[in-house]
Amino acid sequence: MNIFRNIIIHNPITIRYRDQSLEDLIEEIASLNDHMNQVRNTAFQILEKLTSQQQTSQFNPVLTGFETTIKHLDKTIQEIKIQIEKIVKKWSQS
């Protein structure tokens, strides 16, 4: 018991804490990240089905516009993921 007492008395004690609201935010960001992935995957699946079931060329402009929108969505999601990774990395270092 004296060994522990000597260690505690003679060594500095460092206390670390986590901000609960920040932890909640990280959990919410992770959930949003999952939802974004689901939206992106669903959009790509819809595009694949529409492209494979195309009967006439009348839908070509619609499909092209939809494809452009999905690619923009994918790019935006990737940018958000990069920002999320930066936030999580910074948070985990604190």
Side-chain angles (χ1 to χ4, degrees), residues 2-59:
N2 286 335
I3 294 172
F4 293 118
R5 184 171 191 209
N6 286 335
I7 291 172
I8 292 173
I9 291 173
H10 298 301
N11 292 321
I13 297 174
T14 303
I15 299 174
R16 295 183 184 251
Y17 68 94
R18 295 269 187 186
D19 184 355
Q20 184 63 45
S21 62
L22 186 58
E23 287 188 25
D24 293 343
L25 175 64
I26 295 297
E27 286 179 25
E28 186 65 27
I29 288 172
S31 176
L32 290 172
N33 188 33
D34 290 341
H35 290 299
M36 284 188 305
N37 285 333
Q38 290 173 357
V39 168
R40 182 182 63 195
N41 292 339
T42 302
F44 276 116
Q45 289 173 358
I46 291 169
L47 180 63
E48 287 176 19
K49 285 181 181 181
L50 289 174
T51 303
S52 68
Q53 294 178 1
Q54 182 181 359
Q55 299 293 326
T56 63
S57 62
Q58 71 185 24
F59 294 113

Side-chain angles (χ1 to χ4, degrees), residues 36-37 39-41 43-44 66-81:
M36 284 188 305
N37 285 333
V39 168
R40 182 182 63 195
N41 292 339
F44 276 116
F66 188 58
E67 184 175 16
T68 302
T69 301
I70 290 175
K71 286 180 181 179
H72 179 70
L73 172 68
D74 187 46
K75 181 181 176 189
T76 303
I77 288 173
Q78 292 303 325
E79 291 170 3
I80 292 169
K81 288 180 135 203

